[in-house]
Amino acid sequence: LPTRAGSSLEPEEHSMEPSAVPEEEEEKEMPFTAASGPAGCQLFGYVGIEAVLDQMKIKTMKTGFEFNIMVVGQSGLGKSTMVNTLFKSKVSRKASQPGQEERIPKTVQVQSITHVIEEKGVKMKLTVTDTPGFGDQINNENCWDPIIKYINEQYERYLREEVLITRKRKIPDTRVHGCVYFVPPTGHWLRPLDLEFMQRLSKIVNVVPVIAKADTLTLEERAEFKQRIQEDLKTHAISVYPQEDFDQDPDDRLLNDRIREKIPFAVVGADQEHQVNGKRVLGRKTKWGIIEVENPAHCEFPLLRDLLIRSHLQDLKDITHNVHYESYRVRRLNESNRP
């Protein structure tokens, strides 16, 4: 019994001794752990973590990236011209046969054109999807069905590649990242066709409404038309891009709030240059002067270009992948798992 009692006490004595060791180890390891406070980990010298950004930039410049944009609107609203103005090149190709542009398609046709454009070593595979025939008929019932079908087909194509056992290192991305909807410059309210389209499409794709050919409206008519469109969107609970629900950072929310105040953008497209004060500018020449497309005092095309390309291009792709495609993927997998 004494030996058992002694042996039973030894572990207790040993268990008491290591209690002082963690304090010493904690003191030694403190400089290598995250410090308390917003400063985070304290480094004693240059490590080179910032070189990760250079690595990402070099890799992106080598592989390039994809961006897919869709334009929707009635014929004659300047969709092709606007896309050419956005990318300052003939990326939206018109029909080569004479007289084909004047014919109104009997149904909505979806046409995609892909280009590889390069700027300062950065390559972008751009796909422009046009929808001739949308809203041009007398009876436009369910004219949005071919567009919804096309968008879902691109999600389905990506999903099939993703669920393969042996997948590609980089899945070709044909999903529509942004849909620019051209509203006719009537100066009144949104038409039922506009409301129905944006209500259906905003659930599966990022919709950016714009007022087409805004130079046909006066500044007062433009401001009033904008306010009416914003009221219509709010009344019918239509969430256009950038959506309030997806604002993660407070700084992003402030920036997106300023953008949401300006939506829909009143834009003017032009693919011809003119001489203004000794400079070559893109614009539309009229009897009373030249409307400069890239002048914020004349139209809001620079705001649309900054949103689609310079500030929110990656965000458009992220929301497409993480929200719209994810909801489609969950729905499809649930359907396939049902008995």
Side-chain angles (χ1 to χ4, degrees):
L1 287 175
T3 56
R4 289 180 183 175
S7 62
S8 63
L9 288 174
E10 285 179 0
E12 293 181 2
E13 292 176 359
H14 287 300
S15 64
M16 294 293 291
E17 290 177 0
S19 61
V21 176
E23 295 181 359
E24 296 177 0
E25 291 179 353
E26 286 177 4
E27 292 178 359
K28 292 179 182 179
E29 294 180 357
M30 274 299 290
F32 301 96
T33 58
S36 59
C41 183
Q42 302 294 328
L43 303 177
F44 296 109
Y46 178 74
V47 177
I49 300 174
E50 64 180 15
V52 175
L53 298 176
D54 296 331
Q55 297 173 30
M56 295 172 63
K57 180 179 179 181
I58 293 172
K59 186 175 182 181
T60 303
M61 291 180 68
K62 286 182 179 180
T63 60
F65 60 97
E66 295 133 327
F67 184 59
N68 309 316
I69 186 171
M70 173 182 279
V71 288
V72 181
Q74 283 182 316
S75 300
L77 292 180
K79 300 187 297 295
S80 301
T81 305
M82 178 58 61
V83 174
N84 292 338
T85 311
L86 273 172
F87 299 98
K88 293 187 177 181
S89 58
K90 301 290 183 179
V91 292
S92 184
R93 188 174 53 212
K94 293 188 177 182
S96 57
Q97 299 180 7
Q100 188 171 347
E101 282 292 320
E102 286 75 16
R103 294 201 199 102
I104 298 176
K106 293 183 180 180
T107 58
V108 179
Q109 300 173 2
V110 180
Q111 302 173 353
S112 295
I113 303 170
T114 301
H115 300 271
V116 177
I117 57 179
E118 184 175 351
E119 184 181 33
K120 295 183 178 180
V122 180
K123 294 181 181 179
M124 180 172 71
K125 185 180 180 182
L126 173 67
T127 300
V128 179
T129 304
D130 197 358
T131 56
F134 177 83
D136 292 340
Q137 302 298 320
I138 296 175
N139 181 10
N140 292 303
E141 185 178 2
N142 299 329
C143 63
W144 46 78
D145 285 347
I147 300 174
I148 294 177
K149 181 182 177 183
Y150 175 82
I151 294 173
N152 286 331
E153 282 176 353
Q154 309 316 308
Y155 290 148
E156 182 68 23
R157 182 180 298 181
Y158 194 91
L159 179 61
R160 288 178 181 175
E161 292 288 341
E162 200 175 43
V163 298
L164 290 176
I165 297 176
T166 305
R167 296 189 297 182
K168 299 177 182 178
R169 292 186 61 183
K170 185 178 181 183
I171 300 175
D173 191 2
T174 59
R175 299 169 297 180
V176 179
H177 300 129
C179 175
V180 182
Y181 185 76
F182 287 71
V183 178
T186 59
H188 302 294
W189 301 87
L190 286 176
R191 302 169 302 170
L193 175 63
D194 303 327
L195 292 171
E196 189 71 25
F197 174 85
M198 286 190 280
Q199 204 162 29
R200 290 173 180 267
L201 268 290
S202 61
K203 298 176 182 178
I204 62 173
V205 72
N206 298 315
V207 178
V208 180
V210 298
I211 301 174
K213 294 191 173 181
D215 53 334
T216 60
L217 301 172
T218 65
L219 294 179
E220 292 78 11
E221 291 172 341
R222 185 191 301 180
E224 187 176 355
F225 191 31
K226 265 192 173 192
Q227 186 176 1
R228 288 177 177 177
I229 291 176
Q230 290 174 355
E231 291 175 1
D232 276 342
L233 295 176
K234 188 175 182 180
T235 301
H236 294 82
I238 300 174
S239 180
V240 297
Y241 184 84
Q243 301 92 333
E244 293 186 16
D245 299 339
F246 307 146
D247 291 340
Q248 302 291 336
D249 189 77
D251 295 335
D252 293 341
R253 180 175 291 274
L254 291 175
L255 174 61
N256 291 339
D257 284 341
R258 290 196 296 268
I259 295 174
R260 281 187 280 264
E261 292 175 358
K262 300 290 182 67
I263 283 181
F265 299 124
V267 298
V268 178
D271 49 11
Q272 294 183 356
E273 289 186 342
H274 300 277
Q275 195 83 14
V276 177
N277 297 327
K279 296 181 179 179
R280 303 289 294 178
V281 297
L282 284 171
R284 292 171 57 87
K285 189 175 182 180
T286 63
K287 290 183 178 180
W288 51 87
I290 294 176
I291 302 170
E292 301 176 30
V293 170
E294 296 180 315
N295 189 343
H298 291 190
C299 73
E300 294 176 337
F301 168 78
L303 298 178
L304 175 65
R305 179 192 57 199
D306 292 348
L307 177 70
L308 293 178
I309 301 174
R310 300 187 179 180
S311 62
H312 287 68
L313 187 147
Q314 187 59 45
D315 188 60
L316 283 164
K317 298 182 67 174
D318 291 341
I319 291 181
T320 300
H321 181 76
N322 298 325
V323 178
H324 298 305
Y325 168 71
E326 189 66 20
S327 62
Y328 178 85
R329 188 186 69 86
V330 170
R331 185 173 71 252
R332 286 287 290 115
L333 294 180
N334 285 335
E335 290 174 359
S336 62
N337 290 333
R338 288 174 186 169

